[in-house]
Amino acid sequence: MLDFFIAPAYAQDAPAGGGIAQIVMLVGFVAIFYFLLWRPQAKRAKQHKQLIGNLSKGDEIVIGGGMLGRITKVSEDSEFLTMQIAEGTEVSVQKNAVAAVLPKGTIKSI
């Protein structure tokens, strides 16, 4: 009765050349992954690292949360900077939180 539910397995010859096609497909997927995901992400990370390295006192910046301010102190040995968000109000911000450097005078024009 159990034989009724189990289909018999028959030995079949494997098609010739199937291994080469699978290797080509795998190489194609790796190439697509590289050009669509990995390379653009590495490029953005390199640009952000360069942006953080070029920060200096007086630069007007935007942090990730959307807050605007002017840099008043940058410490080279620390990963923090001090940003003035209003007259007499300064906050410490991680350098990695900086999203963009604005042109000079942008804060006054807002």
Side-chain angles (χ1 to χ4, degrees):
M1 173 109 176
L2 188 59
D3 292 337
F4 177 71
F5 294 109
I6 300 174
Y10 296 101
Q12 297 179 0
D13 292 335
I20 300 292
Q22 289 177 351
I23 291 173
V24 169
M25 286 273 275
L26 182 63
V27 169
F29 282 132
V30 168
I32 289 170
F33 180 77
Y34 174 76
F35 284 109
L36 293 180
L37 296 173
W38 189 22
R39 187 172 172 226
Q41 180 64 27
K43 191 175 184 180
R44 280 191 297 271
K46 183 179 177 182
Q47 288 173 345
H48 189 254
K49 187 175 181 181
Q50 183 180 17
L51 175 113
I52 290 171
N54 293 335
L55 292 175
S56 62
K57 183 178 177 180
D59 286 345
E60 296 178 0
I61 58 171
V62 176
I63 60 172
M67 190 179 300
L68 295 161
R70 181 175 290 114
I71 298 175
T72 58
K73 181 182 170 188
V74 179
S75 58
E76 299 298 325
D77 56 341
S78 174
E79 63 180 63
F80 290 92
L81 57 88
T82 304
M83 179 175 83
Q84 179 183 10
I85 56 175
E87 197 64 39
T89 306
E90 293 184 349
V91 293
S92 293
V93 179
Q94 279 188 333
K95 289 180 182 178
N96 287 334
V98 175
V101 176
L102 302 172
K104 299 282 185 189
T106 302
I107 294 176
K108 288 184 180 181
S109 66
I110 293 179

